[in-house]
Amino acid sequence: MHYVNSKTLLSSKNGMNLYRGCTHGCIYCDSRSKIYNMNHKFEDVEVKENYHELLKKELIKRPKAMIGTGAMTDPYIPVEKRLKHVRKSLELIHRYGFGFTCITKSDLILRDLDLLKKINENSKAVVQMTLTTADDDLCKVLEPNVCPTSRRVEVLKTLNEEGIPTIVWLCPILPYINDTEENINGILDYCIDSNVYGIICMEMGMTLREGNREYFYEKLDEHFPGLKDKYINKFGNNYGLPSVNNKKLMAIFKKRTSENGILNDNDEIFRYLFEFPEKSVQTKLI
């Protein structure tokens, strides 16, 4: 871990990245790609030391909106347990009357349930949780340094019980690894049981490009001997790697989500995530 001072914190679309880099160790992580110009080891997490003053300054001058985080780095990586930068950011987001959404794989988010509930009472808080496999043993291979799927489902249930809406990212679906009917049905069973609001699914497959491809293939050699050659022969250096089972699995996904009242249109879900509600209260200038 190392510290930097940054000139800005929020993007033009109100995205917030408190950290750059990650220690969850997910074997497929696109954020390792060289296109993102991360000039340090991926596991050497970059921490924006002046995040608090930047966030306060930017929230004061911006119109009310949803603040989002987690697209590049899971905000609830292990260092967050000690640093509490997300929690302190949530305090500001609540104070100034903004909404909040994040993408995570970690049960650490339950530490901040009190603040999520306060934000949701005043405006809106939505938690997005990634689920890739219904099998905890496989999960420990694909995402070794974060809580397993069964624990994430417990988190989804707790959030639902506390009135916090949830969205699941059903991805990535790795060809020849978790692209099975059993796995997709297992994840959908979890989602239905957890009463999730919607599921984002960008078709069944994954992406690879320079940076994350090399790491992914290294892990295939470690955990799935011989599979790397199958990937190379099938996909070459393609960016998109669709599952050969995509059509069948997407039909299952669409049918079961529709039958169970779970939103499955990605565009509609994204509109929901970033729509700021009219119920928001006046800014608290503290």
Side-chain angles (χ1 to χ4, degrees):
M1 183 185 74
H2 65 282
Y3 289 94
V4 296
N5 281 310
S6 184
K7 293 182 179 179
T8 60
L9 184 66
L10 298 180
S11 71
S12 61
K13 295 184 178 180
N14 296 308
M16 176 179 70
N17 282 311
L18 300 168
Y19 306 117
R20 289 194 79 202
C22 186
T23 54
H24 283 341
C26 304
I27 70 172
Y28 51 73
C29 183
D30 177 70
S31 293
R32 292 180 180 274
S33 300
K34 289 187 177 180
I35 192 173
Y36 299 118
N37 298 315
M38 198 171 294
N39 298 316
H40 56 86
K41 187 178 178 182
F42 191 69
E43 289 77 12
D44 179 18
V45 176
E46 182 178 282
V47 180
K48 294 181 179 178
E49 190 169 23
N50 60 334
Y51 78 98
H52 198 268
E53 61 189 83
L54 288 176
L55 182 58
K56 183 176 181 179
K57 179 180 177 181
E58 294 179 26
L59 291 179
I60 288 173
K61 68 182 182 181
R62 292 196 182 206
K64 299 294 183 293
M66 296 293 291
I67 304 299
T69 191
M72 280 293 296
T73 296
D74 192 322
Y76 287 100
I77 53 178
V79 296
E80 168 59 20
K81 187 173 185 179
R82 175 170 56 89
L83 297 180
K84 299 182 179 179
H85 287 190
V86 176
R87 182 168 181 83
K88 293 171 186 175
S89 297
L90 286 172
E91 291 171 349
L92 286 177
I93 289 167
H94 170 58
R95 181 185 304 174
Y96 291 102
F98 284 71
F100 178 76
T101 185
C102 71
I103 307 171
T104 186
K105 298 184 179 84
S106 175
D107 58 355
L108 181 57
I109 193 169
L110 290 182
R111 179 202 64 186
D112 297 334
L113 182 56
D114 59 329
L115 287 169
L116 293 172
K117 289 173 69 175
K118 288 179 180 179
I119 292 170
N120 199 45
E121 288 170 2
N122 291 343
S123 55
K124 185 168 74 176
V126 185
V127 173
Q128 304 169 61
M129 184 72 72
T130 301
L131 301 181
T132 59
T133 174
D135 183 332
D136 277 359
D137 290 333
L138 180 58
C139 182
K140 291 174 185 177
V141 173
L142 304 183
E143 303 151 344
N145 303 324
V146 67
C147 65
T149 301
S150 59
R151 175 56 179 158
R152 293 178 216 174
V153 173
E154 291 176 0
V155 172
L156 289 170
K157 291 180 178 179
T158 298
L159 292 168
N160 178 61
E161 291 167 0
E162 296 293 338
I164 305 296
T166 55
I167 299 293
V168 161
W169 285 76
L170 201 168
C171 66
I173 301 302
L174 313 178
Y176 314 116
I177 296 176
N178 62 342
D179 60 340
T180 65
E181 290 186 47
E182 179 183 12
N183 183 52
I184 300 306
N185 277 316
I187 293 173
L188 292 173
D189 287 342
Y190 276 145
C191 292
I192 294 164
D193 194 38
S194 305
N195 196 31
V196 302
Y197 183 80
I199 304 176
I200 294 171
C201 181
M202 307 287 188
E203 302 289 312
M204 303 295 173
M206 67 177 301
T207 61
L208 285 179
R209 50 188 163 190
E210 187 179 6
N212 78 312
R213 178 182 288 110
E214 290 79 4
Y215 187 81
F216 179 67
Y217 281 169
E218 177 185 327
K219 293 302 176 179
L220 288 188
D221 281 340
E222 181 179 343
H223 299 290
F224 307 96
L227 190 53
K228 179 180 73 174
D229 291 338
K230 193 171 183 178
Y231 266 74
I232 292 171
N233 292 333
K234 175 69 176 177
F235 303 111
N237 288 324
N238 292 348
Y239 170 65
L241 285 65
S243 166
V244 294
N245 301 321
N246 178 61
K247 185 175 180 180
K248 176 175 63 177
L249 297 179
M250 285 302 297
I252 293 171
F253 168 73
K254 293 289 186 180
K255 181 176 186 292
R256 295 200 65 196
T257 49
S258 297
E259 289 175 345
N260 288 277
I262 297 174
L263 203 61
N264 60 23
D265 182 274
N266 294 337
D267 291 338
E268 193 172 347
I269 294 173
F270 286 126
R271 281 195 296 271
Y272 165 73
L273 285 172
F274 295 103
E275 179 182 30
F276 188 73
E278 295 181 359
K279 70 175 182 178
S280 58
V281 299
Q282 187 176 0
T283 300
K284 300 177 182 179
L285 296 176
I286 300 174

